[in-house]
Amino acid sequence: MATYVIGFPRIGEQRELKKALESYWAGKINQEELKQTASELRKRHWIYQKNAGIDMISVNDFSFYDNMLDMTVMLNAIPEKYKDINNCMDRYFAMARGDANHKAMEMTKWFNTNYHYIVPELDINMGFKANIEKIKIEYNEAKELGINPKVNIIGPITYVKLSKIINGTEKEIIEKLIPVYKDIIHQLKELDENITIQMDEPYFVTNPTNEDLEILKKVYNELGNLANIYVATYFEHSNEANEVLAKTPIKGMFLDFVAGSENSIKSLVEAGKEVGIGIVNGRNVWVNDIEKSAAFIKGLTEAVDNEKVHIGSSCSLLHVPYTLKYETKMDEDIKSWISYALEKLDEIRVINKLVKNEELSETDKEVLEGNKIAIATRKTSKKIHDPIVQDRVSNLTEKDKHRNMPFEERIKLQHENLKYPILPTTTIGSFPQTPELRKLRRDYKNGVIDETTYKEEIKKMIKECVKFQEEIDLDVLVHGEFERNDMVEYFGEQLNGVAFSQNGWVQSYGSRCVKPPLIYGDVSRPKDMTVEWITYAQSLTNKPMKGMLTGPVTMLNWSFVRDDQSRRTTAYQMALAIRDEVEALEAAGIKVIQVDEAALREGYPLRDEKKAEYEDWAITSFRITTSIVKPETQIHTHMCYSEFSDIMDAIENMDADVISIENARSDNSLLKIFKERGYKGEIGPGVYDIHSPRIPSTEEMVDQINQILEVLPAEKVWVNPDCGLKTRKWEEVKPSLKNMVEAAKKVRATLK
Ligand SMILES: Nc1nc2c(c(=O)[nH]1)N[C@@H](CNc1ccc(C(=O)N[C@@H](CCC(=O)N[C@@H](CCC(=O)N[C@@H](CCC(=O)O)C(=O)O)C(=O)O)C(=O)O)cc1)CN2
Ligand SMILES: [Zn+2]
């Protein structure tokens, strides 16, 4: 019996990789320096795991940008358009983030997480070929440290299922990849005859079809006996696949027993396979109840040979921060209730020893004692429970979930009230977060400047921003969100029942990170959160100023959420807290309020049978937040994705007056949906992609608007970018928005 982790974070506990990457991209360090940082980080991470007593430590969980993209390189699935770039590193980053001559490949959410991967573009005639250079380097580094690693790779089925297919069928491509994977395994065996390989196939947690299971059987019948192959699934149970794989020659499986507590090991055990029980949560930070976990695993594996049971993390630890050691300002109780990646390694070791009845060291005993106290104090702490909040949730009625006038009537009042033209122009909220602004905030947080100075500086930026928007003649303005570090963290910092970290960074994509708030107790809003900024902005203009808030569902999906009550209850508490802010904004004279639900889509459960329940509480939460306003107050929402076909009813059910969505990046698939079924409210399909530094021309946005008008009536259409502009530079934003307004005006003129 051994301990394992599915994967370890790589951005660095002080975000060393982020900083090195951004310096490299800015031309401030060279390739060798970047590689050096990467190598040091890998070593540090392996040593952490080794010292914590982890037996199966991964290589190839490191990445300069993304593991799916690494797989694309490993399979030589490089799209034609990047082949003119000779330097491997330059080509890799061109695929990841574009360069002067190349558009970036598409990026999308990794299952239901806030991590994003680079979507492969596959063509059956691509000339797939094994290239394991990256793994070799990492494998040899690990060996030098005396570590006998397992090699992580993404399995062929998940790889293909998560790709965009340009030519060929999924099945054909998977079959074509089998010999390439065989070759990868053969080459890995040259490193070590007894090599252990973890093949990730998380695709199988999402209601696989019979065809999927057929191909699963075929693939692992062919690959399973070539080395010590463990198939890993995570984020849900994979029971259909577990049964199929039991009959293939693989060595075993690593399963998620946190998000996939329904997982069954029966068929695997009967077939003599090894099983990995992923019991320590790789997605959330609450301490594991070590004794309870050990008892659970003992019960589950009573009849299984000890040698065949492994204990590990539920999924990669990529989704949690590194270590509590930098959290010097966190409330001591709350800190005692959580574990980051390093603390989780200790939990895995101690659970393993308890299951095996091995003697605990002094350190193990300390871990266990601390753990018992944490579990006990968290249950009874006064910091968690607030009867007033609980009553507010219990007393919610149908009335709280409905606007008091139907859309068709209230939209008329809104038009009279707001007087915006046809094809109104607006933005999604944020304007550039410049290095100067970040420095200002750091200075304020470190006490280098005082609150008054900080606020004055932010107000200057708001003033400039409003002036710019008036100059280019946008119709509905925003204040720019300069006071926010992040759209979720900013609110987390101000709510009761929510804690925030100093250094709890988690990678979101590439070099970009977030610090998810910790929702540990009953949530309420002690005072106004945004009113001062937004009323200030409104005072500078006669045009409508949009109040910007983050919605309850997005707050939950991008936070570490308490696990001691249902997510529905926590969401309703959050919904009421944000509703209080909606009410305050309206009372302060704000006539348009946007409640962003950027993470609504990714929060959907991976198993179909669980979707209806989520949809119900998610949509209800949004409605609780927004239904309080007068009919003439206009509610906007924003979502930055466009795969809507399966959730269109739910979106309509949110009953927002206006919704802005992503559209520019996806081949107008969005527009097809509107053609087929229409949409009740007003809608702003993004007319340009904010993820790219490229400045879109007036003509191309005129085209884009005209395409939209082919499927939507002009009276319903808004003109806006895809998403917020915070990651862009002012030099990019200014001409882009100017062109956008011009494009709207040109099209408007043709409508008269
Ligand atoms: N939570 C969340 N999830 C999301 C999104 C989002 O906006 N928020 N958008 C989508 C895409 N994901 C994204 C995730 C992160 C960022 C992003 O820009 N992150 C920033 C950090 C944002 C932040 O918290 N900034 C802090 C500053 C943190 C910092 O690095 N400070 C420096 C000092 C700054 C300086 O002096 O230059 C330091 O501490 O060393 C602030 O502004 O206050 C980054 O990684 O660079 C963008 C998109 C999906 N998921
Ligand atoms: Zn967005």
Side-chain angles (χ1 to χ4, degrees):
M1 177 156 58
T3 50
Y4 67 93
V5 287
I6 294 289
F8 203 74
R10 61 223 179 201
I11 203 77
E13 63 198 51
Q14 296 288 337
R15 292 179 298 156
E16 292 89 341
L17 182 60
K18 171 199 174 64
K19 290 167 194 165
L21 282 168
E22 290 175 0
S23 302
Y24 174 70
W25 295 333
K28 289 183 195 144
I29 64 169
N30 63 30
Q31 241 173 62
E32 282 319 305
E33 290 168 289
L34 174 61
K35 285 182 180 164
Q36 185 58 31
T37 301
S39 170
E40 281 161 17
L41 284 171
R42 287 192 291 264
K43 285 183 189 157
R44 187 200 288 167
H45 300 156
W46 288 324
I47 289 171
Y48 278 149
Q49 294 172 76
K50 190 179 170 198
N51 290 348
I54 301 300
D55 302 308
M56 291 178 168
I57 297 175
S58 320
V59 298
N60 202 37
D61 54 352
F62 177 83
S63 179
F64 277 114
Y65 205 96
D66 165 51
N67 299 116
M68 278 289 274
L69 182 59
D70 296 343
M71 211 56 225
T72 294
V73 174
M74 201 189 303
L75 297 168
N76 194 38
I78 315 283
E80 218 36 61
K81 54 184 177 268
Y82 302 101
K83 290 205 172 142
D84 61 316
I85 313 172
N86 290 322
N87 183 284
C88 301
M89 190 82 110
D90 291 345
R91 184 198 283 168
Y92 180 84
F93 287 131
M95 291 192 281
R97 53 196 295 278
D99 67 16
N101 307 312
H102 302 83
K103 272 177 110 173
M105 290 170 79
E106 227 178 272
M107 182 171 80
T108 197
K109 292 285 152 84
W110 179 244
F111 296 86
N112 53 5
T113 73
N114 197 2
Y115 175 76
H116 304 62
Y117 71 94
I118 302 294
V119 184
E121 288 170 26
L122 303 180
D123 179 328
I124 183 87
N125 300 319
M126 236 164 175
F128 300 115
K129 203 171 86 210
N131 166 9
I132 68 156
E133 283 316 301
K134 173 176 182 292
I135 300 182
K136 269 191 197 159
I137 294 170
E138 297 182 20
Y139 182 89
N140 289 328
E141 284 175 346
K143 272 282 183 194
E144 265 179 43
L145 294 175
I147 288 166
N148 197 16
K150 73 171 154 74
V151 176
N152 286 10
I153 56 182
I154 294 166
I157 306 169
T158 297
Y159 178 75
V160 173
K161 285 284 177 179
L162 267 50
S163 296
K164 202 160 91 177
I165 311 262
I166 312 288
N167 182 22
T169 66
E170 283 176 349
K171 189 161 176 280
E172 283 167 351
I173 296 180
I174 294 169
E175 284 176 357
K176 200 151 181 193
L177 284 177
I178 294 177
V180 186
Y181 272 80
K182 280 188 180 165
D183 196 22
I184 291 175
I185 298 171
H186 282 302
Q187 292 189 39
L188 289 174
K189 284 187 86 160
E190 285 169 20
L191 295 171
D192 176 357
E193 186 54 29
N194 290 317
I195 195 112
T196 295
I197 303 172
Q198 169 185 311
M199 305 259 274
D200 288 18
E201 289 285 11
Y203 169 75
F204 286 92
V205 305
T206 60
N207 299 81
T209 63
N210 287 336
E211 249 178 59
D212 294 336
L213 295 168
E214 275 305 310
I215 194 85
L216 179 71
K217 186 163 121 192
K218 182 174 161 76
V219 166
Y220 287 93
N221 268 331
E222 296 206 30
L223 303 181
N225 57 359
L226 303 180
N228 299 312
I229 306 258
Y230 295 85
V231 175
T233 63
Y234 35 82
F235 306 146
E236 251 295 350
H237 77 80
S238 54
N239 278 331
E240 302 88 345
N242 304 358
E243 284 202 16
V244 170
L245 288 168
K247 299 191 195 97
T248 69
I250 62 164
K251 191 97 175 172
M253 283 188 83
F254 298 138
L255 301 172
D256 182 337
F257 273 87
V258 179
S261 55
E262 299 95 330
N263 257 319
S264 164
I265 56 169
K266 191 165 176 282
S267 47
L268 292 163
V269 168
E270 281 170 4
K273 303 294 181 202
E274 298 180 14
V275 284
I277 312 296
I279 196 75
V280 170
N281 198 341
R283 292 282 296 275
N284 211 337
V285 295
W286 309 106
V287 296
N288 191 287
D289 188 337
I290 291 180
E291 288 192 321
K292 196 170 148 204
S293 295
F296 165 78
I297 296 171
K298 276 189 177 174
L300 183 75
T301 59
E302 219 174 4
V304 191
D305 182 0
N306 240 349
E307 288 306 301
K308 292 191 168 161
V309 180
H310 309 300
I311 290 167
S313 63
S314 64
C315 61
S316 171
L317 298 176
L318 178 68
H319 311 288
V320 293
Y322 276 83
T323 161
L324 284 168
K325 90 174 167 214
Y326 301 107
E327 301 300 341
T328 54
K329 293 187 188 154
M330 195 182 277
D331 175 286
E332 281 301 320
D333 280 331
I334 296 172
K335 192 172 161 185
S336 77
W337 300 336
I338 64 179
S339 292
Y340 289 169
L342 281 186
E343 294 80 30
K344 284 172 189 283
L345 300 178
D346 289 335
E347 295 177 351
I348 293 172
R349 178 186 69 247
V350 177
I351 295 169
N352 183 54
K353 288 194 178 174
L354 290 181
V355 174
K356 258 169 114 177
N357 297 320
E358 268 184 22
E359 203 180 323
L360 300 187
S361 71
E362 283 311 308
T363 323
D364 297 337
K365 283 182 197 158
E366 270 170 39
V367 170
L368 184 58
E369 273 320 298
N371 182 264
K372 283 192 210 166
I373 294 168
I375 299 287
T377 56
R378 187 173 162 218
K379 278 195 183 122
T380 53
S381 171
K382 289 204 176 59
K383 291 180 179 155
I384 292 178
H385 308 284
D386 181 343
I388 298 173
V389 174
Q390 290 167 5
D391 277 354
R392 278 187 91 186
V393 170
S394 314
N395 293 333
L396 281 167
T397 64
E398 272 310 298
K399 229 178 132 246
D400 293 297
K401 304 170 190 167
H402 296 273
R403 302 253 333 233
N404 56 21
M405 191 186 278
F407 171 79
E408 292 72 16
E409 291 168 39
R410 66 182 193 250
I411 192 75
K412 289 184 196 139
L413 295 182
Q414 292 167 18
H415 277 263
E416 282 165 28
N417 196 22
L418 298 166
K419 303 194 174 54
Y420 51 80
I422 197 158
L423 301 180
T425 52
T426 191
T427 61
I428 308 303
S430 59
F431 271 75
Q433 290 270 335
T434 59
E436 299 75 49
L437 170 55
R438 293 240 155 101
K439 182 172 180 307
L440 182 75
R441 187 156 30 248
R442 188 186 56 184
D443 286 349
Y444 171 47
K445 287 205 168 167
N446 294 341
V448 177
I449 57 170
D450 63 9
E451 187 178 345
T452 317
T453 316
Y454 179 68
K455 285 191 167 175
E456 270 169 14
E457 291 298 319
I458 297 281
K459 284 190 174 163
K460 270 189 218 160
M461 293 181 199
I462 294 177
K463 196 170 187 175
E464 281 291 306
C465 187
V466 172
K467 192 168 142 240
F468 166 69
Q469 294 175 76
E470 289 206 311
E471 271 164 20
I472 62 166
D473 205 19
L474 276 155
D475 298 305
V476 174
L477 310 195
V478 299
H479 75 293
E481 300 182 24
F482 304 110
E483 77 286 9
R484 303 183 190 180
N485 42 9
D486 174 72
M487 61 185 282
V488 169
E489 195 183 359
Y490 178 76
F491 291 96
E493 286 173 352
Q494 301 186 70
L495 291 166
N496 291 331
V498 185
F500 53 94
S501 68
Q502 265 167 285
N503 199 52
W505 291 104
V506 176
Q507 190 177 13
S508 178
Y509 69 88
S511 68
R512 297 277 173 181
C513 302
V514 295
K515 280 203 242 83
L518 273 113
I519 307 178
Y520 66 90
D522 293 335
V523 178
S524 60
R525 187 200 72 134
K527 57 178 201 288
D528 291 352
M529 302 187 283
T530 63
V531 178
E532 182 184 352
W533 306 116
I534 291 160
T535 50
Y536 172 69
Q538 180 67 85
S539 77
L540 302 169
T541 176
N542 293 323
K543 289 197 167 168
M545 178 60 57
K546 205 160 43 159
M548 304 297 311
L549 301 173
T550 300
V553 183
T554 300
M555 286 299 298
L556 253 71
N557 284 338
W558 289 348
S559 296
F560 294 124
V561 183
R562 58 193 288 194
D563 56 0
D564 58 348
Q565 69 179 17
S566 71
R567 281 178 90 86
R568 180 190 291 267
T569 304
T570 307
Y572 287 4
Q573 292 182 355
M574 186 62 78
L576 285 168
I578 300 167
R579 181 174 89 173
D580 292 346
E581 187 72 10
V582 168
E583 237 182 328
L585 283 171
E586 189 183 53
I590 300 301
K591 299 187 173 82
V592 182
I593 301 172
Q594 178 170 312
V595 178
D596 289 328
E597 283 296 17
L600 186 106
R601 179 101 182 72
E602 77 204 42
Y604 269 74
L606 299 169
R607 286 272 167 184
D608 292 340
E609 57 277 18
K610 296 180 183 172
K611 288 183 177 158
E613 159 75 9
Y614 168 80
E615 208 163 81
D616 184 62
W617 68 249
I619 304 305
T620 306
S621 299
F622 182 85
R623 296 177 64 130
I624 292 170
T625 298
T626 52
S627 290
I628 190 107
V629 297
K630 295 180 285 191
E632 55 269 38
T633 300
Q634 187 166 69
I635 295 288
H636 288 219
T637 189
H638 161 73
M639 293 166 198
C640 26
Y641 39 80
S642 52
E643 303 84 39
F644 278 109
S645 46
D646 49 336
I647 59 164
M648 215 46 207
D649 290 338
I651 303 284
E652 202 146 71
N653 236 327
M654 291 167 78
D655 202 23
D657 300 309
V658 183
I659 150 175
S660 61
I661 45 186
E662 198 243 314
N663 166 58
R665 260 193 307 178
S666 55
D667 345 323
N668 285 340
S669 64
L670 175 73
L671 300 182
K672 264 184 254 146
I673 303 163
F674 288 120
K675 189 164 194 166
E676 279 157 23
R677 52 108 65 213
Y679 178 73
K680 177 184 75 176
E682 300 193 353
I683 181 154
V687 296
Y688 83 85
D689 175 14
I690 62 91
H691 295 91
S692 166
R694 211 174 61 90
I695 295 158
S697 67
T698 306
E699 293 69 41
E700 71 181 85
M701 287 188 275
V702 166
D703 267 4
Q704 191 69 33
I705 299 168
N706 281 330
Q707 282 185 39
I708 294 167
L709 293 182
E710 276 172 30
V711 292
L712 288 167
E715 305 73 55
K716 286 195 174 202
V717 175
W718 286 63
V719 176
N720 47 257
D722 258 359
C723 187
L725 303 164
K726 66 184 163 209
T727 57
R728 297 268 58 85
K729 299 193 171 89
W730 276 107
E731 308 91 90
E732 297 153 1
V733 163
K734 284 192 172 174
S736 301
L737 287 180
K738 197 161 170 279
N739 291 350
M740 184 188 87
V741 175
E742 242 173 64
K745 286 185 176 171
K746 280 197 169 156
V747 182
R748 249 178 234 160
T750 66
L751 296 175
K752 283 182 187 140

